[in-house]
Amino acid sequence: MKILIPFDGRNPKTRLSQTLSPEERSEFSAAMLEDVLDAIPSDSLDPEVVTTEPFDRDPGVETSTSSEPLNSVVNSYIDSTVPVAVVMADLPLIRTEQVERLLETPGDVVLAPGIGGGTNALVVRNQSFSVDYHGVSVRDHQRIARNRGLSTTKVDSYRLGLDVDEPSDLIEVLLHSSGRAADWLESNGFEIVEPGGRPTVARESD
Amino acid sequence: MKILIPFDGRNPKTRLSQTLSPEERSEFSAAMLEDVLDAIPSDSLDPEVVTTEPFDRDPGVETSTSSEPLNSVVNSYIDSTVPVAVVMADLPLIRTEQVERLLETPGDVVLAPGIGGGTNALVVRNQSFSVDYHGVSVRDHQRIARNRGLSTTKVDSYRLGLDVDEPSDLIEVLLHSSGRAADWLESNGFEIVEPGGRPTVARESD
């Protein structure tokens, strides 16, 4: 099955700007993408990174570049072939087990919700579905499916639910992953601290 | 199996104080507790609400009051009998399916991580374990188990991971539950809005 992994090769993870420099955001995003790719068994599946413009790392899998918005890119894939899966590139807690759970879950449309209303992973098995990733997409995707008479199933996964957008998400990477993004954070001085008993992530002073 | 549900009957959910009045926090917390109790099949399991002081609602199950700190209460239970489970009272996304997954997961100690490093649900099958709920408890519980030669398993569940502490957590209740806490929020004017494209929860003006 084709698994699309949308990746912003240009200016990723802007909401981490207070914590990471542009170059660091680029490195950390690439590490998260590698964690996602590491979780996808490429001997049995067909991962493809889709990016808005070429980026200077070789992800080791098929990569396509499109200036089209994400919704158009994904909907073109759905129009051409189903089933197709879409897995976001900022899920460093993902493991092969979660990819398998996602693909084994029945339903015309399978949704893995992200914290705050996003759709972190998706399987589409019917061509009458289309995606709309803006706003509260997990709700919108349920509505779109319902309007077209399609069944939806939600996957109950913490590891798929944790997309990394904000500095407060970084603690999840250090707690629940030993992959490349976690390595990158540790190598760059990030650690868990508990000021006043509330756990967070801080960076060692240089 | 005994399932302990710690509940703060006195001044619950202080981090929601900017959004909810003390009386509303009390009502909303009781609704979340009821969602948790609704998810526990009481014909086959033995739920018990443990609270710091008596509260003015009848949860419909065994309730015990203790002035001891939570760690002492839970560790006393572990000393007297295992297996025992501990499920937090602020998990309104929980369903029977998650309780079953928790109890079916093998391991001397089974942990359901909460966002930010907490331990939202726990099964203890060996009396040499003890809990420590302060700080980054999911990491501390893994360390305690390791030091005592016990195996730990993490349950990968979004619905168990989402404890409601902050106003930003309320969107999860509206998106992923149709239980009593969700009803309470809707009845009290809360709805999902998208100012500037970032989904959040707002309250209708009176």
Side-chain angles (χ1 to χ4, degrees), chain A residues 5 29 36 38 58 70 109 119 123 127 139 170 179:
Chain A
I5 303 129
S29 298
V36 173
D38 284 346
D58 176 7
L70 175 60
V109 179
T119 305
V123 179
Q127 287 185 305
R139 185 180 60 177
L170 297 177

Side-chain angles (χ1 to χ4, degrees), chain A residues 21-22 29 35 37 64 113 115 119 129 133 141 148 152 167 189 191:
Chain A
S21 71
S29 298
D35 282 337
L37 292 171
S64 60
I115 305 287
T119 305
F129 185 75
Y133 275 105
H141 287 146
R148 297 177 190 179
T152 56
E191 58 184 359

Side-chain angles (χ1 to χ4, degrees), chain A residues 15 95 97-98 101 113-118 134-140 142 154-162 166 171-172 175-177 192-194 197-200, chain B residues 15 95 97-98 101 113-118 134-140 142 154-162 166 171-172 175-177 192-194 197-200:
Chain A
R15 283 149 69 189
R95 295 174 177 172
E97 180 191 335
Q98 279 71 43
R101 273 181 66 197
I115 305 287
H134 299 298
V136 190
S137 69
V138 75
R139 185 180 60 177
D140 296 340
Q142 288 177 286
K154 285 192 210 166
V155 179
D156 177 32
S157 170
Y158 190 97
R159 292 185 175 278
L160 291 177
L162 261 296
E166 308 272 358
I171 190 172
E172 307 295 335
L175 279 174
H176 301 298
S177 172
I192 297 170
V193 294
E194 299 180 57
R198 292 279 291 280
T200 185
Chain B
R15 284 149 67 189
R95 294 173 177 173
E97 179 191 336
Q98 280 71 44
R101 273 181 67 196
I115 304 288
H134 298 298
V136 190
S137 68
V138 75
R139 186 180 58 178
D140 295 340
Q142 288 177 285
K154 285 192 212 167
V155 178
D156 177 33
S157 170
Y158 190 96
R159 292 184 175 279
L160 291 176
L162 262 296
E166 309 271 357
I171 190 172
E172 307 296 334
L175 279 174
H176 301 298
S177 172
I192 297 171
V193 294
E194 301 180 56
R198 292 277 292 279
T200 184

Side-chain angles (χ1 to χ4, degrees), chain B residues 119-132:
Chain B
T119 305
N120 285 358
L122 175 82
V123 179
V124 181
R125 297 195 176 96
N126 187 301
Q127 288 186 303
S128 64
F129 184 74
S130 59
V131 298
D132 179 358

